[in-house]
Amino acid sequence: MKLSEAKAVITGGASGLGFATAQRVIDEGGQVVLLDINDALGAESAAKLGDRASYVSTDVSNEDSVKAAVLKAKETMGGITLAVNCAGVANAGRALGREGPWPTENFNRVIQINLVGTFNVTKEAAAIMNENEPSEDGERGVIISTASIAAFEGQIGQAAYAASKGGVHAMMLPLAREFANFGIRVNTIAPGIMLTPMMAGMSEEVQASLASQVPFPKRLGHPEEYANTVAFIYETTYVNSETIRCDGAIRMQAK
């Protein structure tokens, strides 16, 4: 697979890790359809990327919305060869906080977006990829999802987030085993503390404190480094059913 020939759908593509990935695909000569729920930013981001990019409003937690978006992407690009799941939320709350037990509704929302949303996009994109002509290796497509280091070292208050990202990591292997029959690879990236728009909005003191916890390099991760990891996975056919940590060797403490 060559990124220059990629036909990519990227959820959460309007900003952060998703937009950086879209920019990398466009820079290499590929095509991109951004799937996001922020319509204004999605349209703006697609315009920044140029003629080979477009935007489709998508609620990844809604199966019908995902089906329609993936079909639209197929029509726009003439197929799909790469799907990158970056859409997610990071709601935090202690299970037993000062105001009592955390509402299960909040837990469910995180699971629906981060985990079920990833599954929705994965299965629908795979169905389109299965229509592709196979490469010399028999490859038809690549799916890359976003877990988190919280999947392995979730902190206090991250029960929902860690469960959702742990689920993304755990479902990778059975999906990779199943999709191997169709020539579709499934991999996952587990980012550390990345300099996303949400993180950039925090004070310099908070950012410096977080950066000091990273063994090397002592800084926050750049979205472009996530995008580089996507590019490596896409173009390296023998990488399959792998979770790659992109985290500067940090191992998060309890809090």
Side-chain angles (χ1 to χ4, degrees):
M1 290 287 199
K2 300 292 185 183
L3 211 59
S4 59
E5 301 171 356
K7 300 174 181 179
V9 291
I10 303 174
T11 72
S15 63
L17 304 181
F19 182 76
T21 301
Q23 185 69 69
R24 178 63 187 271
V25 174
I26 292 296
D27 288 347
E28 293 288 337
Q31 302 177 64
V32 170
V33 174
L34 308 178
L35 309 186
D36 209 296
I37 203 168
N38 187 330
D39 292 342
L41 185 58
E44 179 183 338
S45 297
K48 287 181 181 178
L49 293 170
D51 295 340
R52 283 178 281 110
S54 60
Y55 168 72
V56 179
S57 180
T58 312
D59 176 0
V60 296
S61 68
N62 183 294
E63 185 177 20
D64 291 336
S65 178
V66 171
K67 285 183 177 180
V70 169
L71 285 174
K72 179 65 175 177
K74 173 191 173 183
E75 294 171 3
T76 301
M77 298 185 291
I80 296 172
T81 64
L82 171 63
V84 185
N85 288 297
C86 291
V89 294
N91 296 24
R94 289 175 179 256
L96 293 177
R98 294 179 179 177
E99 298 180 2
W102 205 49
T104 299
E105 178 184 356
N106 295 347
F107 188 97
N108 284 341
R109 179 172 181 270
V110 176
I111 297 296
Q112 286 297 316
I113 295 172
N114 293 0
L115 180 55
V116 177
T118 295
F119 178 74
N120 284 338
V121 175
T122 295
K123 67 184 180 70
E124 297 301 331
I128 301 302
M129 291 175 182
N130 196 34
E131 301 173 1
N132 295 336
E133 287 295 322
S135 68
E136 292 182 1
D137 280 331
E139 188 172 22
R140 288 187 169 90
V142 180
I143 297 168
I144 302 171
S145 297
T146 306
S148 166
I149 58 174
F152 311 104
E153 300 114 34
Q155 296 183 297
I156 292 172
Q158 288 188 322
Y161 185 70
S164 69
K165 294 301 188 176
V168 169
H169 163 72
M171 73 178 177
M172 173 188 61
L173 177 58
L175 288 173
R177 285 171 164 169
E178 178 182 351
F179 293 171
N181 295 320
F182 314 124
I184 299 171
R185 291 186 289 122
V186 183
N187 289 280
T188 302
I189 301 172
I193 308 172
M194 310 297 285
L195 190 57
T196 59
M198 180 180 67
M199 187 62 65
M202 296 184 177
S203 69
E204 291 184 5
E205 290 77 13
V206 170
Q207 292 185 41
S209 175
L210 292 170
S212 69
Q213 300 175 41
V214 182
F216 184 81
K218 282 197 170 298
R219 59 169 172 79
L220 304 183
H222 300 312
E224 292 77 15
E225 291 172 310
Y226 175 95
N228 290 343
T229 310
V230 170
F232 162 72
I233 292 171
Y234 186 71
E235 294 190 338
T236 310
T237 307
Y238 214 56
V239 176
N240 194 12
S241 187
E242 184 63 62
T243 294
I244 299 177
R245 294 180 67 128
C246 182
D247 62 8
I250 193 172
R251 298 296 182 266
M252 299 296 288
Q253 301 303 306
K255 60 181 178 178

